[in-house]
Amino acid sequence: MPEYCFFKKGDHVNALERNDTEGAACLRDWGYTKQSEELKAANTHCALAHFHDIRNEEQAREHEFSTGAAFLALIVGVLAVVDWFFL
């Protein structure tokens, strides 16, 4: 299975085989930035699908972390107000 690297410009992502240095140079010239992920996949379509799955999971994890922290801060605030009223 070939190993793929990814290049991103805005919302558009391209996958290239890792040994395609000419294609990588061309994408960099067009303003694409190389992403840190490198994956083994059967073809380009599977590599891109797996890349998007990884990115969506990262975004979901970040969202869960931020909303969890906000919820915890709200609970602590409510408990502080309730404690102040009853003590």
Side-chain angles (χ1 to χ4, degrees), residues 25-75:
C26 188
L27 287 176
R28 282 192 199 102
D29 289 343
W30 290 340
Y32 283 79
T33 55
K34 187 172 188 282
Q35 304 299 297
S36 60
E37 291 86 353
E38 292 185 356
L39 304 170
K40 289 186 179 184
N43 56 40
T44 306
H45 179 70
C46 292
L48 284 170
H50 191 54
F51 176 80
H52 285 297
D53 288 344
I54 290 170
R55 285 295 172 104
N56 289 339
E57 185 177 310
E58 288 174 358
Q59 289 175 350
R61 193 176 319 125
E62 289 173 5
H63 178 71
E64 290 169 359
F65 180 75
S66 64
T67 56
F71 181 72
L72 183 60
L74 178 66
I75 294 298

Side-chain angles (χ1 to χ4, degrees), residues 2-5 7 15-21 24 34 38-39:
E3 191 167 348
Y4 291 91
C5 57
F7 292 84
L16 291 177
E17 286 191 27
R18 188 169 182 240
N19 58 2
D20 186 1
T21 56
K34 187 172 188 282
E38 292 185 356
L39 304 170

